[in-house]
Amino acid sequence: MKQAPFGVLFAVLTVLGTALVSFAFQLRAEGYEQYVQDVTYVAGTAYFTAIMTVVMWVRARRMPLS
């Protein structure tokens, strides 16, 4: 079985979270306060998913393949 691309998924989710945080700062600077909370929520969700991907990665490396 081929190993799942955990590293690539982690990198993509981290870049997505960082881009969304940058976008939230830009929205706040331009006066779109009503959207900042929603964008930061999605960024936090991307970061959380990236962390859970690392947890899955570590756990998958510990488990022997049957």
Side-chain angles (χ1 to χ4, degrees):
M1 184 172 127
K2 190 174 180 182
Q3 185 173 356
F6 291 114
V8 174
L9 182 59
F10 170 75
V12 168
L13 287 169
T14 304
V15 168
L16 175 64
T18 304
L20 287 170
V21 168
S22 175
F23 183 54
F25 281 128
Q26 186 178 3
L27 286 174
R28 179 168 286 160
E30 293 180 9
Y32 293 103
E33 286 288 328
Q34 67 268 25
Y35 302 114
V36 171
Q37 184 177 2
D38 296 332
V39 173
T40 54
Y41 175 78
V42 175
T45 303
Y47 283 131
F48 177 77
T49 306
I51 291 169
M52 290 296 106
T53 302
V54 171
V55 170
M56 271 182 37
W57 190 0
V58 170
R59 293 188 77 190
R61 293 186 80 195
R62 288 187 191 171
M63 293 176 51
L65 295 175
S66 300

